[in-house]
Amino acid sequence: MSKKTYDLLFKLLLIGDSGVGKTCVLFRFSDDAFNTTFISTIGIDFKIKTVELQGKKIKLQIWDTAGQERFHTITTSYYRGAMGIMLVYDITNAKSFENISKWLRNIDEHANEDVERMLLGNKCDMEDKRVVPKAKGEQIAREHGIRFFETSAKANINIEKAFLTLAEDILRKTPVKEPNSENVDISSGNGVTGWKSKCC
């Protein structure tokens, strides 16, 4: 078997209403591409990108969830084991912003307590159609003690910065383990994630 090409694996999750641009954000980060003709994500999809932070190679496994309610039951199981969650709303869609509080509740219910969260106000290139002021995004982020970025997958604004900042925040809390330690961290819940996860 080939040697592992990374030091750490971080599982990240993108959540938010359907149509806010989660898939576009993911593709911009993973493939540096933008496509306006995405069909809605059915259920779940993921991309892998390896980044280097503080001299460590970190493999980011980024899950893109369907925002539609009917897939809600599928996606809740993906919260488990996620180390970072990006909540995405669309600055041109007031409803998607109002629903952020609902998504935050979902995280509280389904995710690990120590999960890193981040709020993204996407489509900030569409200033003429903006209905959610930046200050509102900043306010909700402050109230919940989470980071906030306005992003545009189309114009490539703050996408990489957001992902790298989230990864750095997770790295900061990750206990440094001896390389090669195959021990599973038992404090991370009961590990019912359907794959052999060597957590953290």
Side-chain angles (χ1 to χ4, degrees), residues 68-180:
Q68 296 97 321
E69 280 300 314
R70 63 197 155 116
F71 295 117
H72 187 61
T73 46
I74 314 173
T75 53
T76 52
S77 58
Y78 287 92
Y79 285 93
R80 279 186 234 119
M83 298 154 83
I85 297 179
M86 287 182 160
L87 297 101
V88 188
Y89 69 90
D90 171 355
I91 69 154
T92 70
N93 177 335
K95 187 91 183 101
S96 73
F97 179 73
E98 287 159 23
N99 283 338
I100 286 296
S101 52
K102 180 192 77 175
W103 290 107
L104 281 162
R105 277 198 304 278
N106 281 348
I107 294 175
D108 291 342
E109 283 170 34
H110 303 292
N112 296 343
E113 275 172 47
D114 61 347
V115 70
E116 277 298 329
R117 300 168 304 169
M118 178 178 277
L119 182 63
L120 299 184
N122 195 35
K123 306 190 187 178
C124 71
D125 57 293
M126 296 167 72
E127 197 53 59
D128 54 329
K129 295 194 173 72
R130 176 191 287 274
V131 293
V132 183
K134 187 174 183 179
K136 274 189 146 181
E138 289 169 339
Q139 183 189 349
I140 198 167
R142 245 195 329 273
E143 285 168 10
H144 291 275
I146 57 181
R147 289 185 190 269
F148 170 71
F149 287 100
E150 283 204 336
T151 55
S152 164
K154 188 176 185 178
N156 198 6
I157 298 168
N158 280 344
I159 299 288
E160 187 162 357
K161 187 177 181 187
F163 277 99
L164 293 181
T165 302
L166 186 60
E168 277 175 2
D169 288 346
I170 298 167
L171 183 60
R172 210 168 290 127
K173 322 202 287 204
T174 303
V176 180
K177 289 191 180 157
E178 289 301 304
N180 235 352

